[in-house]
Amino acid sequence: MTTRLALHDLREGAGGLTFAVAFGAGGARGLAHIHVIQALDELGIRPVAIAGSSIGAIMGAGMAAGMTGAEMADHALQTVGSRGAVLNRLWSLGPSTMRDRLGGFRLGHFNLERIIEAFLPARVPQEFSGLEIPLKISVTDYYGQGEAVLEAGNLRQAISASAAIPGLFMPVWVDGRVMIDGGIFNPVPYEHLMDLADVVIGIDVVGAPEGDGAHAPSRIDSIFGASQLTMQASIALKLKLHPPHVFLRPSVNRFGVLDFPKAKEILQESEPVKDELKRAIDALHTVVGA
């Protein structure tokens, strides 16, 4: 686990420090974001703005909709953390047309918009305008060859676009543009918050390939591992140029992007990040108050 504190340009307004948080991409590893939300809940901190990419867009939407970390943990364990619940929710799409609704049963053909509708908490509204906290969602414009930031309009469509991992899900059309996983271009979109709060927190759950070095990865592992390495290179460059005030890396490396049935294990292993964030915030308050 890694914590990074950057005290550049730290300031405090008359009402105390304001906070913004950026939840990063990482598939099932992103369940670790729940601990960050719980830490902020326990400290009584309500972010003035949130950004998210891929799974981070889902977690960010939950928080922006007013859900607590505890509520999000319960929802995760009762849905994606249960194989039976996963099957039931997919079946609820309509048994006679489930194949058509999901886009088929082959990797790369799954319709994420349908899946998102089946699994998102009811508290998450259809439109950005229904959120309690402003939210910026990072997506990758495939043919535009760059990042797009969505913050108005159809929220659930934006979430689906941001989480549409290539090779697993079909791209999502947004305003006539073909959009894919936001993590491709911006794994931890904290820079979009730097001018909006005194303290910006970024959480990286991309992870990195792990192994004994004696065995070659499987085909699918090599694809996901290469993506991780590319995203980590992007994050490293951003951190050199302009890091957030707090940057966290929960211990999630051993989990895969699709390990949602291991939700309980992911939450258990990444739990130390909660106290890590609290210590970092205490340190910032100490510096400001000195």
Side-chain angles (χ1 to χ4, degrees):
M1 187 182 304
T2 302
T3 303
R4 180 171 181 156
L5 286 177
L7 305 182
H8 59 82
D9 300 328
L10 190 62
R11 61 195 187 280
E12 183 175 20
L17 291 174
T18 57
F19 291 79
V21 57
F23 298 106
R29 294 182 291 267
L31 293 173
H33 290 316
I34 290 172
H35 293 304
V36 171
I37 298 170
Q38 289 178 321
L40 295 174
D41 290 341
E42 292 168 11
L43 292 172
I45 293 174
R46 180 181 173 88
V48 296
I50 297 171
S53 186
S54 201
I55 185 68
I58 297 173
M59 295 295 169
M63 187 180 198
M67 293 182 69
T68 66
E71 289 171 338
M72 294 176 71
D74 287 343
H75 182 81
L77 292 173
Q78 293 171 15
T79 55
V80 295
S82 166
R83 293 183 186 276
V86 168
L87 292 175
N88 285 338
R89 283 178 178 256
L90 293 179
W91 190 255
S92 72
L93 294 174
S96 62
T97 58
M98 186 165 66
R99 177 190 293 269
D100 294 333
R101 287 178 179 269
L102 292 181
F105 290 145
R106 290 184 298 159
L107 291 181
H109 287 257
F110 291 115
N111 185 333
L112 186 57
E113 290 185 82
R114 294 289 189 181
I115 297 172
I116 287 292
E117 285 295 331
F119 286 93
L120 268 188
R123 289 277 296 277
V124 176
Q126 291 288 339
E127 302 287 325
F128 277 89
S129 59
L131 295 172
E132 297 179 6
I133 301 172
L135 173 66
K136 297 176 181 289
I137 292 181
S138 174
V139 299
T140 298
D141 185 332
Y142 185 77
Y143 290 112
Q145 303 173 22
E147 180 190 20
V149 179
L150 307 178
E151 48 191 321
N154 190 322
L155 173 61
R156 294 190 171 212
Q157 182 187 62
I159 292 171
S160 299
S162 186
I165 300 173
L168 287 178
F169 304 111
M170 294 186 295
V172 176
W173 289 81
V174 179
D175 296 330
R177 306 293 299 177
V178 176
M179 303 295 189
I180 60 172
D181 185 8
I184 300 298
F185 245 84
N186 200 344
V188 190
Y190 63 80
E191 67 270 29
H192 301 306
L193 304 172
M194 296 301 288
D195 294 329
L196 301 179
D198 301 322
V199 177
V200 174
I201 302 165
I203 308 99
D204 169 21
V205 291
V206 167
E210 285 195 343
D212 57 13
H215 301 87
S218 67
R219 181 175 63 88
I220 194 69
D221 284 343
S222 66
I223 292 173
F224 286 133
S227 177
Q228 286 177 296
L229 295 174
T230 300
M231 287 191 281
Q232 286 296 354
S234 171
I235 293 170
L237 178 59
K238 290 207 310 174
L239 290 176
K240 287 182 180 179
L241 294 174
H242 196 187
H245 302 95
V246 178
F247 191 74
L248 303 166
R249 280 194 170 112
S251 297
V252 292
N253 276 11
R254 77 177 182 88
F255 299 103
V257 70
L258 297 178
D259 276 344
F260 287 101
K262 297 180 181 179
K264 187 174 182 179
E265 294 176 56
I266 295 171
L267 289 173
Q268 288 175 338
E269 190 151 328
S270 60
E271 187 172 8
V273 76
K274 183 192 295 187
D275 287 334
E276 189 178 3
L277 176 56
K278 290 180 178 180
R279 290 193 298 270
I281 291 175
D282 282 343
L284 291 174
H285 280 300
T286 298
V287 169
V288 170

